[in-house]
Amino acid sequence: QQAVTSAFSGFSVRSDEPTNVEADNLEVRDQEHAAIFSGNVVMKQGISTLQTRKLTIYYYDKDKPAPAAGNAPKPIQGETKNPSGGAKPESGRDIRKMEAEGDVVVTQNDQKATGARGVFDTQANTADLTGGVVVTQGDNVIRGDRLHVNLTTQTSRIESSGGGGRVQGVFKPKPRDQAASGAKN
Amino acid sequence: CFRPVYGDVSTTTGPTKSEGVDVERRMKSVEVKQIEGRVGGKIRDELIFMLRGGAGPEPVVYRLEIKRLIEQGQSAVVDPLSGVSETRTISLNANFVLTPAGSLDPVITGNAVASATYFAGLQRFANIRAERDAEDRAAVQIAERIRARLQAYLVTGK
Amino acid sequence: ANVDNGSLVPPKPDSMKHHGPSSAVGPGVKDEGKKRDPNARMLMEAKQLVYDYDKEIVTAVDGVDIYYDGRALQADRVSYDQKANRVHAYGHVKMTERNGDIVYGDEMDVTDDFRDGFISPLQVETTERTRFAAAKGRRENGEVMVFDRGVYTACEPCRNNPEKPPLWQIKSKRIIWRQDEKTIYYENATFELYGHPIAWLPFFSSPDPSVKRKSGVLGPNLVKSSDVGYGVEVPYFWVLSPTSDLTLAPLFTQKQGVMLKGEYRQQLIDGAYSIRAAGIHQLDSDRFNDKVPAGRTDAGLTIGPGDKDDRWAVSTKGQFDINEKWSWGWDINAVSDKWVRGDYDLWGPRDVATSTLYLTGQGDRSYFELRGYSFYGMTRYDRQDRLPWVAPVLDYNYTLEDPVAGGQLSFDINATNIYRSESDYAHDRTRLQPRPDNALIGAAGTYSRISGDIDWKRRFIDPIGQVWTPFAFARGDLIYTKPDYDSSMPAFLDHEQDVVLRGMAGVGVEYRYPFIARTENATHQIEPIAQLILRPNESSVGKLPNEDAQSLMYDDTTLFSWNKFSGYDRIEGGSRANVGAQYTVTTDSGASASAIVGQSFALFGKNSFRELDPTQIGPDSGLESARSDYVGGVTLVPNENFSVSGHLRLDENSFALRMAEVEGRATFERFQANLVYGRYEKAPLQGYDYVREGVLAGARVFLTKEFYVEGGARYNFERDTFDRTQIGFGLNDIMQCLSFNFTYIRQIDNSADSVSLSQVDNKFLVKLDFRTLGSVGLSTSSKSNVDPDMFGSTTN
């Protein structure tokens, strides 16, 4: 029985899958140790996919060792479809943080999360999506203002932005015959 | 001061020359809605003659409806040792409403009350027929009182 | 006739008989059992939702609202374990069922379709405003709710201090509410009133409050009387079908054994009928027999049921609509003897068991009624063979809608056929012997009459406003009479068989001159009225029996009748003038008052009211002299809840009071009253050697919205005795769950036992009605019933 995992599990620090990003163009800013993909950015890592309009990836400084997170940050291979993009980021650099802006969609087989902006902090192994967040998982749909995913504990918290806002979730109880107690997904 | 309800005798303060005749015509334009039951039917027949005076139906300007007709009986004199009623009083209470044709809100509402008594005894069939007659007598009084209220409205508009 | 209008159709939902079917469609039916809607979604709303992917648990925090398959759940925090299909709710949990019942708890652990689970503490408020509470509760497959150490009540919690125990409640070790069977079971239950336990029952069940009509036991009634001893009646209501039910109410008595009582009701498409019966084989009949001292008989009348052991009463009633104009029906009553209804407090009037079969029809301007009657007299003076069989009696009247010769033409038909085997003479009640010099009020033998009556009237208004209404009428009777001779008859009626043709015709005019005046907010009308009627004399008076015109009441209601007699057996003859004046005031607010005064003059020809027929009516009516008594009537109707009217008759010379009457009624929300007083002149020829004078007054006052006191009495002046007194008080629907009534009745015992006015029957009635549980009754004497007249009965 395949464990249900969050759509973001692909970006978890523990995942050792290679990451690759496609985008219309790329701009690298070495002094900020950042690479900015823009235009139909699609980032795949393991079974998780991130689509956004603009993705900024921040690296660790080459000469500063990675924090002793105990697990090595993943190297990144990036290529741009559009030849006019900037220099390719050096592959193998470790990602410190990613920021996605504009129609952020994170999917993994039957799970999907969408929002206006997303911030992925590999160090804290968390991901935050804000701006009209909708999370769907099979037939369950949750809508809120902010999504906070903790990839170590595999929990995600959807909050309203306060001020009377409400988080709404629609769940389809799994059909269970009276006898069986557990339910197949 | 008093002036005739009908006829076209006009007094300075009274209705205009034709108003008297007009009252009779207005009385004839009142339609009395069907009332259920024997006593209701009797009240309606009496009212129709009091309004139309035997003439045929006229175009309807007002509708008179008896909303509620309650009949109750009480015995004042009862032979204590046998429980036989020696007199019995039938009282009728009719709640009526006059509504202009084509509208829903009434112009006048009212209650007419009448009572009639009959002597009773051991001959129960005679009691039943006497009660029927008492109902009829009370019905005529109800019709008179409703007609009087209508007449007041049709003449004075209140 | 005072019709005992027992209900014909299965009961409308009322607090007394709370058993009933859930309505066919069953909107109110708890449809927990309905299969869960497979594709129902669970909508969850909260300030914050946490989704644990591994454990597949969704936790909603801070003001959670869940809607699922017709139910709503609110709580401070809810965790929904999708894998195990369980919902845990914590803090201020409130679940609203599909039908509106509300379940409260602090913690709820149920399956995700809310069908099974635990709730603690558990409180349920149903849409019927009843309440369950328990330290811990369990719900099983959506249909059964189990309350451990549960409490049930139908009372509103006291607003300003909800902690106070409700007016009444049932505490029990376990309450099981089976919503599929619509029944509540209590185990080891104590019934508490004002917090004090007053009854303990090992096991007890009551129907689910939402049920309006369901089989089950109704509240018991306790009875006590000298002849029957202590008795308890336990009615069982049995729903046979949505349109029929049967109530069996065995009465277990201490001294007389068991009386079986039952009522079957059947509703059909076009009508309904019911059969009601009671029967007993008495164990100790002598208790009823030894009442009247051996030597004493009331004018030879049998008193008391004698040594009759089997006593019963049967009634059946039916009414069916043939179409919207015609309907037919029957109301048939039979009893084993005159006293069974009184002795066993059965249904129906105590003075007569009338049976009738009828066909009636009503058109736009017509009415048709065909009836048959038979009477079983139940007073001490009644002898069965003096009461008539009447079949048929037909009445038909029809008024033409269109004018004839400019006026209104209408006609009436009456046909009556009567047989009785023994003549009935009015006798002076105080001496209880028939007085041959009195009237023959019921001739033995056969009497048949067919009458036709036609009348025409037309109104003219002259230029100065005088209203002239000429009228004409004609009447014809065909009469067949075959009296059975007895020695006293010749004094009143010649007894040969005879066929008589009788007729009457008359013309007349009614003159009115109505005047009107308007004051500030009232309108006054006054109109002199004069009637002149020219007619030949009445024929064959005294040669024919008088069966349907025995009551002659001359007052302001008969002043302007063309025929002042009350039936067809007499026709007013001779020319007559009726003169009077009528005053009416009507105010804009709807109040009104009217007054009539007048007098009647016998002009020429024979004055019908001086002629004596077998019933000798006329001479004491006030119309016997050429110049009649003065008559007058006043009616005041200040508003729709209060009216009083009076009638008066004064002697034409001495102004002595001949007749006085006052009748009043009040129907305010918190005050109801009725009053009738009557004083009627002596009528020695009819056996009334004394002035008949009596007053009946009844009143009920609501001191608070719920608490009322009521009382009533009837006093007979000539006998100087209160034949009936009744006082009582009660509480209506206090805290919406309890109604209570206590009534004390003191009544002259007119059943078999008494021979004098001093024998009185005291009766105490107590009735407790616990909403949704049923009512319990106690009455300590089975003699009298609550006289509907006391508070003004409604005859139709």
Side-chain angles (χ1 to χ4, degrees):
Chain A
Q1 189 246 9
Q2 192 236 3
V4 172
T5 56
S6 122
F8 298 82
S9 54
F11 309 113
S12 153
V13 153
R14 280 200 308 283
S15 146
D16 48 14
E17 311 280 345
T19 311
N20 74 40
V21 182
E22 290 164 15
D24 293 350
N25 36 50
L26 165 66
E27 179 197 345
V28 178
R29 294 196 189 134
D30 250 344
Q31 55 304 31
E32 293 167 34
H33 310 292
I36 304 169
F37 297 83
S38 55
N40 302 321
V41 180
V42 175
M43 173 180 175
K44 282 198 169 54
Q45 186 171 8
I47 48 173
S48 304
T49 314
L50 164 65
Q51 290 151 305
T52 174
R53 272 214 304 281
K54 178 180 169 208
L55 178 66
T56 314
I57 301 181
Y58 298 92
Y59 305 100
Y60 286 107
D61 188 349
K62 227 180 15 261
D63 36 26
K64 259 206 260 48
N71 31 37
K74 288 173 301 317
I76 171 163
Q77 297 91 14
E79 89 266 343
T80 60
K81 288 198 297 305
N82 172 346
S84 68
K88 234 160 50 107
E90 276 162 38
S91 64
R93 293 290 296 276
D94 305 334
I95 303 169
R96 185 164 56 78
K97 194 169 89 167
M98 295 192 299
E99 276 180 12
E101 283 154 67
D103 306 338
V104 179
V105 177
V106 180
T107 51
Q108 173 196 312
N109 34 40
D110 68 350
Q111 291 169 46
K112 195 166 86 166
T114 59
R117 287 183 66 259
V119 171
F120 303 82
D121 182 341
T122 46
Q123 214 172 2
N125 205 7
T126 63
D128 283 276
L129 221 54
T130 53
V133 171
V134 176
V135 176
T136 54
Q137 189 262 318
D139 296 326
N140 306 335
V141 177
I142 305 177
R143 205 163 53 83
D145 298 331
R146 213 177 32 258
L147 167 66
H148 173 73
V149 183
N150 180 328
L151 294 167
T152 29
T153 63
Q154 282 292 337
T155 59
S156 63
R157 191 172 68 243
I158 303 104
E159 293 158 353
S160 65
S161 61
R166 302 279 281 170
V167 175
Q168 284 183 336
V170 176
F171 302 90
K172 181 169 186 312
K174 281 185 283 309
R176 56 187 175 84
D177 38 43
Q178 301 311 6
S181 67
K184 288 183 306 315
N185 178 349
Chain B
C1 73
F2 280 100
R3 63 185 194 297
V5 169
Y6 301 103
D8 51 15
V9 172
S10 73
T11 59
T12 48
T13 58
T16 57
K17 195 151 184 42
S18 65
E19 195 166 283
V21 176
D22 184 31
V23 172
E24 185 187 359
R25 202 172 42 74
R26 260 187 260 154
M27 294 279 272
K28 290 183 178 167
S29 70
V30 176
E31 179 205 49
V32 184
K33 282 180 97 173
Q34 183 74 277
I35 311 169
E36 246 210 85
R38 192 187 73 77
V39 176
K42 172 77 176 173
I43 293 176
R44 180 165 184 264
D45 284 345
E46 293 291 328
L47 264 172
I48 289 178
F49 181 77
M50 289 177 188
L51 292 168
R52 296 199 326 229
E58 301 251 334
V60 176
V61 175
Y62 293 97
R63 278 208 174 74
L64 173 71
E65 184 181 1
I66 306 280
K67 284 281 186 200
R68 192 171 38 87
L69 176 61
I70 298 173
E71 173 181 344
Q72 285 172 309
Q74 291 183 98
S75 292
V77 183
V78 166
D79 169 11
L81 205 50
S82 70
V84 172
S85 302
E86 294 181 354
T87 71
R88 189 157 174 74
T89 302
I90 296 295
S91 65
L92 292 178
N93 183 318
N95 176 285
F96 60 90
V97 161
L98 185 71
T99 315
S103 110
L104 281 180
D105 26 30
V107 284
I108 47 170
T109 65
N111 270 75
V113 167
S115 71
T117 304
Y118 64 90
F119 292 124
L122 286 178
Q123 284 303 324
R124 290 0 184 256
F125 180 62
N127 298 351
I128 289 171
R129 299 306 292 190
E131 175 154 319
R132 202 174 193 284
D133 176 69
E135 284 169 347
D136 288 351
R137 283 184 279 143
V140 170
Q141 301 294 312
I142 292 277
E144 283 274 353
R145 282 162 203 161
I146 294 178
R147 189 267 308 263
R149 179 69 185 92
L150 296 189
Q151 208 161 273
Y153 171 75
L154 293 175
V155 172
T156 67
K158 295 246 197 338
Chain C
N2 185 354
V3 172
D4 164 17
N5 35 33
S7 145
L8 270 175
V9 293
K12 288 192 293 299
D14 58 36
S15 59
M16 169 52 197
K17 219 177 252 177
H18 58 270
H19 297 285
S22 49
S23 53
V25 168
V29 170
K30 288 210 169 34
D31 45 19
E32 249 64 49
K34 187 159 77 69
K35 262 303 281 115
R36 182 163 66 111
D37 172 2
N39 41 33
R41 290 281 184 282
M42 176 189 291
L43 168 67
M44 201 185 272
E45 261 191 23
K47 200 98 175 57
Q48 205 185 93
L49 277 179
V50 176
Y51 201 124
D52 179 334
Y53 292 101
D54 275 352
K55 300 198 202 70
E56 275 190 66
I57 292 177
V58 183
T59 309
V61 176
D62 199 349
V64 184
D65 276 306
I66 297 182
Y67 305 97
Y68 175 60
D69 198 13
R71 275 189 207 80
L73 175 75
Q74 279 110 9
D76 294 346
R77 200 163 64 83
V78 171
S79 86
Y80 172 31
D81 179 341
Q82 282 199 296
K83 229 188 300 186
N85 292 96
R86 291 219 64 101
V87 171
H88 296 260
Y90 308 91
H92 305 99
V93 180
K94 172 182 177 191
M95 178 165 76
T96 309
E97 292 284 351
R98 279 198 194 91
N99 70 350
D101 292 350
I102 301 174
V103 178
Y104 296 95
D106 287 350
E107 196 192 330
M108 184 181 282
D109 167 11
V110 285
T111 54
D112 58 11
D113 55 11
F114 298 93
R115 288 169 60 83
D116 299 280
F118 300 91
I119 302 142
S120 61
L122 170 61
Q123 235 208 334
V124 179
E125 242 175 58
T126 70
T127 48
E128 303 296 323
R129 302 193 319 277
T130 58
R131 252 165 286 288
F132 296 87
K136 197 162 66 58
R138 211 169 55 253
R139 188 193 185 93
E140 283 147 16
N141 60 51
E143 278 150 14
V144 178
M145 247 180 175
V146 179
F147 303 82
D148 297 337
R149 291 194 314 289
V151 175
Y152 168 79
T153 180
C155 301
E156 296 287 324
C158 166
R159 251 170 304 284
N160 34 38
N161 126 25
E163 296 334 320
K164 200 151 75 71
L167 193 55
W168 60 262
Q169 62 186 358
I170 302 177
K171 279 188 178 157
S172 68
K173 199 165 73 54
R174 208 148 66 107
I175 298 181
I176 301 168
W177 177 13
R178 291 196 61 94
Q179 285 156 328
D180 49 356
E181 291 174 10
K182 298 192 193 27
T183 313
I184 309 168
Y185 298 95
Y186 306 83
E187 286 165 14
N188 192 335
T190 37
F191 184 88
E192 284 191 5
L193 198 61
Y194 279 109
H196 307 294
I198 53 171
W200 175 83
L201 289 162
F203 175 80
F204 156 72
S205 80
S206 78
D208 178 325
S210 76
V211 161
K212 294 296 173 266
R213 182 172 174 263
K214 178 173 177 303
S215 303
V217 177
L218 304 183
N221 290 320
L222 307 176
V223 183
K224 175 196 166 304
S225 88
S226 50
D227 304 327
V228 175
Y230 285 94
V232 63
E233 175 187 299
V234 183
Y236 180 81
F237 180 78
W238 186 12
V239 176
L240 303 171
S241 77
T243 60
S244 65
D245 57 59
L246 177 66
T247 309
L248 297 170
L251 170 67
F252 304 97
T253 67
Q254 174 198 1
K255 296 175 182 164
Q256 300 297 351
V258 178
M259 168 178 252
L260 287 178
K261 289 161 68 166
E263 181 174 13
Y264 169 77
R265 282 191 293 210
Q266 171 71 52
Q267 166 93 26
L268 303 167
I269 301 158
D270 52 2
Y273 69 88
S274 72
I275 302 164
R276 195 170 187 177
I280 186 169
H281 177 71
Q282 288 177 157
L283 307 178
D284 182 359
S285 300
D286 293 345
R287 299 202 72 83
F288 295 106
N289 190 13
D290 57 9
K291 291 295 174 306
V292 182
R296 171 147 178 87
T297 57
D298 275 349
L301 306 179
T302 54
I303 299 287
D307 48 14
K308 204 190 273 289
D309 289 340
D310 296 321
R311 303 185 68 196
W312 47 268
V314 175
S315 295
T316 172
K317 219 194 283 268
Q319 169 141 10
F320 295 89
D321 295 334
I322 300 165
N323 52 39
E324 84 280 0
K325 282 196 167 65
W326 291 88
S327 65
W328 70 282
W330 69 84
D331 179 354
I332 294 172
N333 301 283
V335 285
S336 60
D337 57 273
K338 293 183 181 180
W339 320 96
V340 67
R341 281 186 179 174
D343 291 347
Y344 288 94
D345 207 359
L346 298 178
W347 65 91
R350 287 287 141 65
D351 60 336
V352 66
T354 306
S355 296
T356 182
L357 189 64
Y358 60 88
L359 167 69
T360 57
Q362 180 167 21
D364 182 31
R365 301 294 303 274
S366 62
Y367 194 82
F368 174 96
E369 189 165 8
L370 176 63
R371 272 189 186 268
Y373 286 104
S374 96
F375 304 98
Y376 183 85
M378 301 200 297
T379 69
R380 56 178 54 244
Y381 304 125
D382 276 309
R383 296 242 326 223
Q384 193 45 36
D385 34 30
R386 291 181 185 168
L387 289 172
W389 290 81
V390 183
V393 55
L394 164 77
D395 286 289
Y396 177 66
N397 67 56
Y398 179 74
T399 306
L400 280 81
E401 177 69 9
D402 300 326
V404 169
Q408 171 181 292
L409 187 70
S410 71
F411 57 86
D412 292 77
I413 294 175
N414 172 282
T416 305
N417 180 36
I418 289 180
Y419 172 76
R420 74 163 56 75
S421 54
E422 184 192 333
S423 289
D424 186 7
Y425 294 90
H427 47 266
D428 174 354
R429 287 193 175 51
T430 47
R431 285 198 304 283
L432 302 180
Q433 283 86 21
R435 276 178 26 181
D437 60 352
N438 280 92
L440 166 64
I441 57 174
T446 309
Y447 171 69
S448 325
R449 170 184 45 71
I450 298 177
S451 306
D453 174 300
I454 187 163
D455 62 65
W456 175 90
K457 51 189 179 180
R458 175 179 181 179
R459 182 180 67 191
F460 293 91
I461 299 181
D462 70 14
I464 60 168
Q466 298 178 110
V467 178
W468 305 84
T469 307
F471 55 83
F473 54 84
R475 161 87 179 269
D477 297 351
L478 174 63
I479 301 163
Y480 165 75
T481 164
K482 178 170 145 330
D484 293 349
Y485 172 79
D486 71 49
S487 59
S488 315
M489 185 179 280
F492 304 101
L493 183 66
D494 57 15
H495 52 275
E496 287 88 16
Q497 179 180 350
D498 208 347
V499 175
V500 174
L501 206 56
R502 180 176 65 176
M504 175 57 70
V507 288
V509 64
E510 181 178 293
Y511 165 83
R512 291 186 182 219
Y513 199 176
F515 284 81
I516 192 162
R518 177 72 193 164
T519 58
E520 212 264 335
N521 50 26
T523 304
H524 305 266
Q525 293 178 66
I526 186 156
E527 62 182 336
I529 306 172
Q531 245 181 18
L532 175 67
I533 308 171
L534 305 174
R535 222 176 359 209
N537 298 333
E538 182 182 9
S539 58
S540 38
V541 179
K543 295 217 338 279
L544 298 169
N546 173 357
E547 292 287 347
D548 73 355
Q550 297 193 1
S551 154
L552 174 58
M553 171 68 72
Y554 172 46
D555 62 10
D556 56 304
T557 64
T558 41
L559 174 60
F560 293 112
S561 309
W562 298 350
N563 175 5
K564 293 185 174 37
F565 286 112
S566 65
Y568 286 91
D569 283 340
R570 289 294 303 274
I571 322 171
E572 187 180 341
S575 299
R576 179 166 288 278
N578 302 316
V579 176
Q582 177 167 257
Y583 163 75
T584 313
V585 55
T586 51
T587 69
D588 307 347
S589 65
S592 71
S594 63
I596 303 177
V597 286
Q599 194 174 25
S600 183
F601 301 90
L603 301 178
F604 35 84
K606 273 197 300 183
N607 174 353
S608 283
F609 305 105
R610 294 175 68 87
E611 309 294 313
L612 287 182
D613 72 7
T615 63
Q616 322 268 312
I617 56 171
D620 321 305
S621 65
L623 287 162
E624 66 282 5
S625 48
R627 220 158 54 85
S628 81
D629 291 352
Y630 294 108
V631 286
V634 172
T635 306
L636 304 172
V637 186
N639 56 50
E640 65 175 340
N641 290 318
F642 181 70
S643 68
V644 66
S645 57
H647 304 274
L648 206 59
R649 178 157 62 91
L650 304 175
D651 184 84
E652 74 272 18
N653 305 320
S654 63
F655 289 95
L657 180 64
R658 288 280 183 262
M659 184 271 282
E661 234 180 50
V662 175
E663 200 263 355
R665 198 169 293 280
T667 53
F668 295 97
E669 209 220 330
R670 292 185 54 173
F671 171 67
Q672 294 101 26
N674 58 293
L675 164 85
V676 66
Y677 162 79
R679 183 187 187 286
Y680 306 95
E681 194 46 60
K682 290 190 180 64
L685 286 178
Q686 280 138 50
Y688 297 111
D689 297 335
Y690 44 85
V691 168
R692 283 162 291 182
E693 189 172 11
V695 60
L696 158 70
R700 176 181 304 114
V701 182
F702 279 85
L703 302 179
T704 70
K705 211 165 74 60
E706 286 127 1
F707 179 71
Y708 63 88
V709 285
E710 57 192 359
R714 180 162 43 212
Y715 177 72
N716 185 312
F717 289 80
E718 191 264 337
R719 297 291 183 76
D720 180 23
T721 171
F722 281 93
D723 80 314
R724 186 182 183 81
T725 316
Q726 183 174 321
I727 51 173
F729 61 90
L731 293 153
N732 255 1
D733 209 8
I734 35 173
M735 308 295 270
Q736 304 200 333
C737 62
L738 176 68
S739 294
F740 162 76
N741 177 286
F742 169 82
T743 306
Y744 161 67
I745 300 173
R746 176 192 173 285
Q747 166 172 307
I748 289 184
D749 177 4
N750 51 39
S751 69
D753 325 49
S754 82
V755 282
S756 74
L757 295 179
S758 59
Q759 272 164 305
V760 170
D761 170 27
N762 292 310
K763 179 165 178 145
F764 296 91
L765 288 163
V766 174
K767 185 155 174 292
L768 269 167
D769 182 5
F770 302 101
R771 187 171 74 87
T772 74
L773 286 189
S775 66
V776 179
L778 166 73
S779 81
T780 60
S781 154
S782 68
K783 285 279 181 311
S784 52
N785 65 336
V786 179
D787 175 352
D789 270 0
M790 186 52 70
F791 293 105
S793 70
T794 306
T795 48
N796 70 341

